[in-house]
Amino acid sequence: MKSLLIAAGTGANNIIVNIGDEYEDRVDYILIDVLESDVWKIEFSAERIFDIVVTRQPVILLATLGGKTGNRSVERLTKLFKSFEILFSAILIIPFKFEWDSRNVALSIADRIKGESVSVHVFDNETLTSLDLTVKEAIRYADREIGCLLDEILK
């Protein structure tokens, strides 16, 4: 059975665009790029949630925290998962230090999720500042590292 990978936030959606082809045979995707979209009605319908619960489909939440879509989607999804006792793993991307307020909110959300998920893997964008890479190279590096975290969960 394929795992269900939910990408929440514009950055998470971009990561899936960049690395998603490598995982097509192992995961089904739900991409949330806008808070008010039909994705919520279609992908998280009662029937879909029932299927996840009954089949015990593994769920992975990939979220770029710090922005409204990532933050609010994670809050909404963790409540949904908790109410239906859906176990999930999470890969959370934390903003840079210069994004002070967004970073603090993201770290707070990450701390809360640690108690509600099977496993939490964090990629801190700040690690990119210590590498001698162009912006394009840094994005590729981050995508590869996040892919490694996904591989770890999918083992």
Side-chain angles (χ1 to χ4, degrees):
M1 170 187 319
K2 288 184 175 183
S3 294
L4 175 62
L5 177 62
I6 303 168
T10 303
N13 280 260
N14 290 341
I15 292 164
I16 297 305
V17 167
N18 293 338
I19 68 170
D21 291 346
E22 299 171 38
Y23 298 94
E24 281 182 347
D25 60 328
R26 297 187 283 167
V27 299
D28 290 324
Y29 300 103
I30 296 176
L31 306 178
I32 303 169
D33 197 15
V34 180
L35 281 174
E36 304 305 322
S37 75
D38 289 340
V39 168
W40 291 100
K41 294 177 203 163
I42 298 166
E43 298 293 352
F44 299 105
S45 65
E47 294 84 12
R48 181 69 173 113
I49 298 302
F50 181 76
D51 285 345
I52 293 169
V53 171
V54 169
T55 62
R56 296 187 180 274
Q57 182 178 22
V59 176
I60 303 165
L61 176 57
L62 170 65
T64 45
L65 299 177
K68 288 181 183 175
T69 303
N71 292 353
R72 291 186 184 160
S73 295
V74 166
E75 300 276 349
R76 196 170 173 182
L77 289 166
T78 54
K79 285 179 187 172
L80 178 74
F81 296 158
K82 188 174 186 175
S83 66
F84 288 96
E85 299 179 358
I86 296 172
L87 302 176
F88 71 100
S89 297
I91 300 172
L92 307 174
I93 294 94
I94 306 296
F96 293 96
K97 284 183 180 176
F98 67 80
E99 300 173 274
W100 182 254
D101 291 337
S102 296
R103 182 178 176 84
N104 287 337
V105 171
L107 290 169
S108 175
I109 291 170
D111 282 342
R112 278 198 308 274
I113 289 178
K114 287 177 184 173
E116 298 179 11
S117 63
V118 174
S119 66
V120 174
H121 302 266
V122 174
F123 181 84
D124 191 336
N125 279 338
E126 190 62 26
T127 60
L128 298 173
T129 62
S130 65
L131 305 173
D132 186 25
L133 301 172
T134 66
V135 172
K136 196 174 199 176
E137 291 168 338
I139 291 169
R140 279 194 219 120
Y141 173 85
D143 289 346
R144 281 192 309 272
E145 291 297 306
I146 291 162
C148 289
L149 296 174
L150 182 55
D151 288 334
E152 200 173 303
I153 293 170
L154 290 169
K155 284 183 185 175

